[in-house]
Amino acid sequence: MAEPGPDEAAENTYSLRPSLQQRFKSSTVKECIHAILKEKLANVQYIPEEMPELTKSLSETITNRLKEEGFDRYKMVVQVVIGEQRGEGVSMGARCFWDADTDSCAHDVFVNDSLFCVVAAFGCFYY
Amino acid sequence: MEGDKKRTKEDTWKAEELRKHLKALLPDSQNEDQKHREKKLRRERTVHDIDPNRHERRDREKSKERTRERERFKSTERDRDKRREREREKEHQREHRERHKDKVRESCLEEGHSVLKHKDRETDRERDKKHKTYEIKQIDPQNYLKSFEGRDTENHRRREIRHLLEEEKARTEERERRHKAQKVKEDNDLRKKIEKVLAYKGEEGEGVHKLEEHQELDKERERRHRERKEHSVGIEKERLSKEKSHKHYGKEKEEKHKSKRSKEKSSHRDREGPAAEANERVKSRENERKKYDLRNSEYKKGERIQEEMSHQLVRTVKDKGKLIEKEDMDTRQEEIKDTHISNPDTGLEDFSTNYEDDFEDYADDFEDDEDQSGEVGDAEENLREVPFSRTSEIEEIQRAITAENDRIFTPLPKKLKNEKKEPVMERQDSSVRNSFRGIFMDFQMASQRQSSRSMASKQKKRISELLPLIDLDFSVSFSLLDLPPVNEYDMYIRNFGKMNTKQAYVQCNEDNLDRDIQTEEVETLEKWTQHPGESALVSGGPVNSQDTSVNGAPTPKIDSQKLASFLRSACQVIAVLLEEDQVATQPRKLRSRQTSLSISDSCFQLNTNQPFLHGRKIPCLYVSQVQRQTLLSVHGLPEKAGVGLLSRKSLICVWNIWQPSSPQKVLICDSEVICCCFSPSKATLVFAGTADGSLLVWDLREDSRMHPCMMITETEWTFRVPTFSTDGILNSVNHTSPILAVEPVSTSLNSDHSYGLSSLSYQEEMSGPPFQIASMDENGILNMWVVVELQKVDLAGSQTDLGLVPGGKVKLVHSSTMELNNSLFPKDISQRMPQTLNIKFLSSNPNHFIVGTNIGLVGHGTRHDLKVVPRLFRPQESRLRSISITAIDFFPFGKPLFLVGCSDGSIRLHQMTSAYPLMQWNDSTKGQPIVALQWALTRPAVFFTLDASSNIYIWDLLDNDLLPVAKQTVPSEKVVTMTLLGEPEKANGLLGIVLAKESGQIDIQYVKKKWALPQPEESDKLYSVLLQSF
């Protein structure tokens, strides 16, 4: 009973913050998104019937790609928006309530003659 | 929570009522119990004299804690002043009570023991019963419990201890339920706790669990009875005072509450006493434990202190009855605030489903385990440490504890199963826990719990480290896309801009660009040129208004015409005058040589000593019939071919005999000229027939600048080219053989009629009334040409009149063609193929003409093929001989007579009406062919003949009609041709004979006056002579 108990025995076997390698790096994520968008949307015309499928496949592709990046203990949210390019003005924004130290966001925009595509990827760290 | 609270309160009220009821039923036993307890207390005091200072120390600690508590209250400033005062009063009272209690205890020491034992027995018995009922109900733990049963029944003390332990167990259980690791250091505290727990238990059990109710009620009843008996006297007093004190702040409190609170207080009061009694036995052990706790407290100081304080609070609040709960809540909140790890005192009321609390459950569990193990350890330690006696008792006690533990925990699940009204979370937690405890071995669970607890503590620590790190914020906001709207122009370009077009620029008003071309109209002027540029005029064209005319100075038209004519005549006059002056200054230069001829008075030479005239034979001379002073001399091709412009050209010189020094004009042509003539009315046009069959026209009025000029021996000579030439044009009608004769045909008939009219209209410029030119070649083809004067001069040359020189105004238009051989001669003659040699037109009637042939005949024809008689003029001898007619000359004084000179030297005089001649002179020239023959212009009866041997014969028919009156041989050189000059209008007796010599020299001999001056009525005499000869 006199021993201090198991509390002091294990010191720092757990991690409080993500390591530098595992941190959600918005620049690399942006590159990934950009590459995928460029590949998938190179000569795509806006056809309203096909867009829902396209957004889903895009988001899945991007999510899987981001998982390969090795952001451990990160919850990744990928949002894909595709709209028709008809000359109207569009403004999109995002606001996040999170721990700015660990969590981050990356987004990229792809625009061609007939459509625009906005992809936002949010990474939230699980403590 | 409120509902729960209320319900629990009500339950407690029920319990209270029950207790009251029980109290009323069993007054005696209570008293007995009280006595017993007191005795027991005393006995314990005596037994446990080993630690005499204990109570004092306890009291001291208590007071210390109270002061701490007070300080804390002050520091937190959460409690109202009233309450603080009240608490102070309470504490005061409590101390007083304690003291009082101590006194009572001391006084009752002796008797207490036995009574206590008795009481214990009673309670034990009851407990046995209870255990038996448990055993009946619960099958599983029965065997396990049975082992303890025997012993339990044997030893009352053990039971007592067990009872105490049971209470302790309940306490731990209560602690679990409250989720608080409460380490109790003091007996007082412990006891109070136990009492409290019991009260809570009672409340719970009575309220809800009817199975347990019975047992619990029994216990409770006993306890309450005891307590109330013990403190019945003191309590009454205290109650009064308490009520008073409560009245101070408890305005809001209801009356009911007051009474209940007082009851609670009393119970609380009671708790102190019996708890102390019950714990007397275990005091030594508890001392040990307290020591351990103190040691523990060293590790967990802060926590412990807080717990203690909370505990104190709880305790103090208990005094005030129902305030407890609120106070508890407050203290709990305080604790939460003070410690990061929430360690809330989840009491009866706190059945929250808070996760943290759940988490705390685990932690508490571990602590409880610790405590339990600690208790076991304590028990063992007690065995060792307590030297004198009772090690065996302690062992038994330990066994009893474990048994008791099992027993207590086993019923709990059942009890909890029935707790339908209890909050779900609490029930589950407790049920799981309790069932584990009850059924399986504690140690296994303990190890599991230990591991999970270590994990939890890890997590706890991690959380504690993490929490300050995590800082959620709203600070970041992202602009994902900002696509500006496309304006109309861009939209247009997007839609239509790609269609093979490129937008170079847009023009607006600011940079209004204007592009155009400024080119001026090209001024054009038509010009002509000629190659090779032989003539003086090689280029020209229509002249603009400002430019000066090529032709000369712009002068008024009317004036220019008059001036030109005036100048032309005037300059001629002046030139002649100048010439005469020269002649006068050089006397006898020309005349001296004239004296060589006997027939002439004087003579002079035309100055043919020009370089371009050297070596040229003169085949023909012609004197204008209108202007008698004007002479044409034809110069043939030079004998030796020279170089230069003129070497292959024949020349025609226009002379004015008054101006013999130089020819007035020099005309040139490419072919050899055979015959020539002037225009009949005015000597402005020169016609010439050439050996190659072309007819040429020179307009002497033409500007000399139109013609090439040459500088020869410092004198500029203009060589006039033909104005019009039939050479090469009009091939269908043109002559194909050399032209032998050119004769002007004046329209005298017409002129008679039109004379009056023409006076007003005929232009002075024109050469006179229109006339025709007849040209005859060797083949007997007679062409008639109309001379047309053009009104307009075209310096560029005419497109249609190809024979016209550029700038020329006169052209020939072919009028008619006659085949003289067929028309003139009868078939017998024409079979002999007569060759026409010369032609003369009758001056009085130009429609009639006579043609000389090479067979001695002269044909007579008209222009319109009219039948004329005689058709032929024959010589006197009828036979045809091949003699050429060399010269024919009409009588110039009205009578239709003509002389014919033949190549055999015969001369015939014909009249138009007779085929045969009036007179014929043969052998006058000794057989020499006649070269030239011409009537004298001034005397009708005189004519001159020239034979081939350069003899000039003069015939005067009035004087001698058989032989010539004079014969003169030109001595020096051969005379090629001869013509006469004279002015018949003037009776000045001047008659000149122009002799063209073979060397090209031209002499003019003025015959003597006797042959020149006309005699009176000479024509009539001539007629008579002729008639005589007829």
Side-chain angles (χ1 to χ4, degrees), chain B residues 89-103 234 238 241-242 265 268-269 272 319:
Chain B
E89 283 175 7
K90 277 182 217 162
E91 281 160 25
H92 207 67
Q93 287 170 358
R94 228 174 275 158
E95 281 173 358
H96 183 258
R97 255 179 270 150
E98 291 278 327
R99 253 173 264 143
H100 175 69
K101 234 189 267 175
D102 286 349
K103 281 173 192 170
E238 283 169 13
S241 62
K242 273 274 154 78
K265 258 179 261 164
H268 177 69
R269 287 290 117 206
E272 283 188 336
D319 294 338

Side-chain angles (χ1 to χ4, degrees), chain A residues 1, chain B residues 164-173 175 182-184 190 282 285-286 288-289 292-293 296 367-383 394 397-398 401-402 405 409:
Chain A
M1 304 308 289
Chain B
L164 279 171
L165 285 171
E166 184 186 310
E167 283 178 351
E168 244 184 78
K169 228 6 182 204
R171 176 180 58 85
T172 55
E173 192 184 325
R175 270 191 305 195
Q182 290 189 352
K183 314 282 175 130
V184 183
L190 193 78
V282 216
R285 187 176 60 88
E286 285 186 343
E288 288 298 322
R289 195 177 148 193
Y292 167 68
D293 285 346
N296 260 357
E367 284 180 7
D368 289 342
D369 285 344
E370 249 182 14
D371 287 352
Q372 281 178 348
S373 61
E375 282 170 31
V376 175
D378 274 3
E380 283 167 357
E381 274 184 84
N382 281 346
L383 283 175
I394 287 164
I397 287 166
Q398 279 180 347
I401 285 166
T402 50
N405 280 345
F409 283 125

Side-chain angles (χ1 to χ4, degrees), chain B residues 234-260:
Chain B
I235 282 164
E236 285 297 316
K237 291 175 196 169
E238 283 169 13
R239 202 181 280 167
L240 285 169
S241 62
K242 273 274 154 78
E243 279 173 5
K244 278 175 197 166
S245 66
H246 281 302
K247 277 168 191 168
H248 284 294
Y249 80 102
K251 285 172 188 173
E252 70 269 14
K253 308 291 178 184
E254 296 162 18
E255 292 289 343
K256 212 200 308 175
H257 283 223
K258 277 179 196 168
S259 62
K260 275 158 194 173

Side-chain angles (χ1 to χ4, degrees), chain B residues 589-807:
Chain B
K589 188 183 178 180
L590 293 171
R591 282 172 199 166
S592 61
R593 293 194 297 183
Q594 288 169 359
T595 54
S596 60
L597 290 178
S598 60
I599 54 166
S600 65
D601 292 332
S602 66
C603 75
F604 66 90
Q605 276 189 311
L606 294 177
N607 187 14
T608 58
N609 191 21
Q610 303 292 342
F612 51 88
L613 295 177
H614 288 309
R616 290 176 186 266
K617 209 171 68 170
I618 297 173
C620 177
L621 291 169
Y622 185 85
V623 177
S624 170
Q625 293 168 354
V626 184
Q627 296 170 330
R628 301 290 178 176
Q629 78 282 6
T630 308
L631 175 73
L632 290 175
S633 64
V634 176
H635 303 264
L637 292 172
E639 291 165 356
K640 49 179 183 190
V643 289
L645 179 65
L646 303 172
S647 62
R648 290 173 179 273
K649 297 181 187 291
S650 56
L651 302 174
I652 296 170
C653 292
V654 179
W655 300 88
N656 187 345
I657 56 166
W658 298 327
Q659 214 179 344
S661 60
S662 67
Q664 287 195 317
K665 290 182 174 72
V666 179
L667 316 176
I668 60 169
C669 69
D670 291 329
S671 61
E672 186 182 359
V673 175
I674 293 169
C675 56
C676 65
C677 67
F678 271 112
S679 56
S681 56
K682 248 181 163 181
T684 54
L685 297 175
V686 175
F687 301 92
T690 63
D692 54 6
S694 61
L695 186 65
L696 306 175
V697 182
W698 284 268
D699 186 358
L700 300 180
R701 297 162 301 181
E702 282 175 354
D703 198 285
S704 63
R705 288 173 294 180
M706 284 174 62
H707 303 287
C709 62
M710 292 176 73
M711 197 69 121
I712 297 168
T713 63
E714 297 178 356
T715 308
E716 193 174 78
W717 295 93
T718 299
F719 300 97
R720 293 175 178 265
V721 295
T723 301
F724 187 85
S725 169
T726 62
D727 197 7
I729 63 165
L730 306 170
N731 285 323
S732 58
V733 295
N734 204 1
H735 298 286
T736 55
S737 55
I739 294 171
L740 297 176
V742 179
E743 282 288 317
V745 179
S746 59
T747 54
S748 57
L749 289 173
N750 297 333
S751 67
D752 290 339
H753 298 288
S754 64
Y755 198 75
L757 296 170
S758 65
S759 61
L760 48 106
S761 67
Y762 259 124
Q763 60 275 58
E764 296 167 56
E765 280 286 304
M766 293 297 285
S767 54
F771 64 96
Q772 289 184 324
I773 292 292
S775 63
M776 187 195 71
D777 60 9
E778 289 175 341
N779 296 330
I781 294 171
L782 178 69
N783 276 333
M784 304 299 293
W785 308 88
V786 177
V787 178
V788 178
E789 206 158 330
L790 300 172
Q791 299 297 323
K792 189 177 155 191
V793 172
D794 189 2
L795 288 173
S798 172
Q799 296 290 321
T800 53
D801 300 324
L802 297 176
L804 188 68
V805 75

